[in-house]
């Protein structure tokens, strides 16, 4: 409250105008105080909910960590290698290149897929249809498969910390 004011200001305004202004200011202050208390209450609820969510997330990540660690290791082995070893993709490319060279030089190379017929049998490699090794064909099919990409993206998201795009393990 503003307290007692003289009945007239130097400009000659009546006391009722000052009382109305005082009432308006007090109302604005009361409304601001109520809003502030309401906002503090809501913030406490948000913080409490966030703490519970963080606790649940930490438990879930702890349960997922062994699977995520293994997935990250296998994914690294497939695409990047590690521990002084080359990636499986690089090894498959090299083996496929060596098989192609051997076929071109007239050597019999077992283990090729017949890409013309789609047969599930394993053939001696030859041009033009039987030149892709089974392992190379399977790897290419896997990497080109939209379902594999979807599942890989899902695993990366599940095993990543919020705001990061890499596996957390």
């Amino acid at each position: 409250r503003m307290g007692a004011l003289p009945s007239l200001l130097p400009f000659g305004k009546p006391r009722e105008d000052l009382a109305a202004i005082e009432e308006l200011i007090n109302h604005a202050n009361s409304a601001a105080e109520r809003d502030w208390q309401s906002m503090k209450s809501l913030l406490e609820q948000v913080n409490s909910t966030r703490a519970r969510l963080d606790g649940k997330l930490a438990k879930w990540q702890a349960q997922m960590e062994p699977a995520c660690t293994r997935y990250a290791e296998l994914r690294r082995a497939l695409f990047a290698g590690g521990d002084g070893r080359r990636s499986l993709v690089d090894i498959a490319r090299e083996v496929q290149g060596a098989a192609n060279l051997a076929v071109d030089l007239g050597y019999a190379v077992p283990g090729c897929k017949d890409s013309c017929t789609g047969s599930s049998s394993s053939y001696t490699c030859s041009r033009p249809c039987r030149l892709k090794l089974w392992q190379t064909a399977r790897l290419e099919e896997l990497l080109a498969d939209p379902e594999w990409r979807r599942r890989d993206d899902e695993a990366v998201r599940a095993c990543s910390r919020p705001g990061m795009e890499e596996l957390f393990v």
Side-chain angles (χ1 to χ4, degrees), residues 90-111:
D90 288 343
I91 293 169
R93 284 183 190 143
E94 182 180 327
V95 171
Q96 182 64 58
N100 292 351
L101 178 61
V103 168
D104 290 343
L105 293 174
Y107 291 97
V109 177

Side-chain angles (χ1 to χ4, degrees), residues 10-165:
F11 305 108
K13 293 208 175 198
R15 182 178 177 106
E16 293 81 30
D17 287 349
L18 288 176
I21 291 170
E22 180 182 4
E23 191 175 317
L24 180 64
I25 290 170
N26 289 337
H27 175 73
N29 286 340
S30 295
E33 180 64 26
R34 277 192 314 274
D35 290 348
W36 173 249
Q37 294 303 323
S38 176
M39 196 244 352
K40 283 182 12 183
S41 173
L42 291 172
L43 183 59
E44 288 173 8
Q45 291 175 22
V46 166
N47 288 337
S48 173
T49 301
R50 176 61 192 252
R52 286 192 312 274
L53 179 61
D54 286 346
K56 288 179 181 180
L57 182 60
K59 288 178 186 175
W60 178 78
Q61 283 180 328
Q63 292 171 349
M64 290 290 295
E65 191 162 353
C68 287
T69 299
R70 184 66 181 141
Y71 187 80
E73 289 169 355
L74 294 173
R75 194 171 192 271
R76 258 190 305 278
L78 182 62
F79 294 114
D83 298 326
R85 293 170 35 183
R86 296 176 23 225
S87 74
L88 295 176
V89 170
D90 288 343
I91 293 169
R93 284 183 190 143
E94 182 180 327
V95 171
Q96 182 64 58
N100 292 351
L101 178 61
V103 168
D104 290 343
L105 293 174
Y107 291 97
V109 177
C112 276
K113 177 181 178 180
D114 189 325
S115 59
C116 294
T117 66
S119 170
S120 61
S121 299
S122 181
Y123 296 95
T124 298
C125 300
S126 63
R127 290 197 182 272
C129 294
R130 296 178 180 166
L131 196 57
K132 188 148 310 198
L133 293 171
W134 269 100
Q135 294 83 350
T136 305
R138 182 63 190 121
L139 181 61
E140 288 176 355
E141 289 167 5
L142 175 75
L143 296 179
D145 182 15
E147 178 63 14
W148 183 84
R149 284 187 192 155
R150 185 194 65 73
R151 291 173 68 190
D152 180 60
D153 287 345
E154 183 180 317
V156 169
R157 277 193 313 274
C159 294
S160 298
R161 300 224 187 271
M164 299 178 71
E165 295 178 7

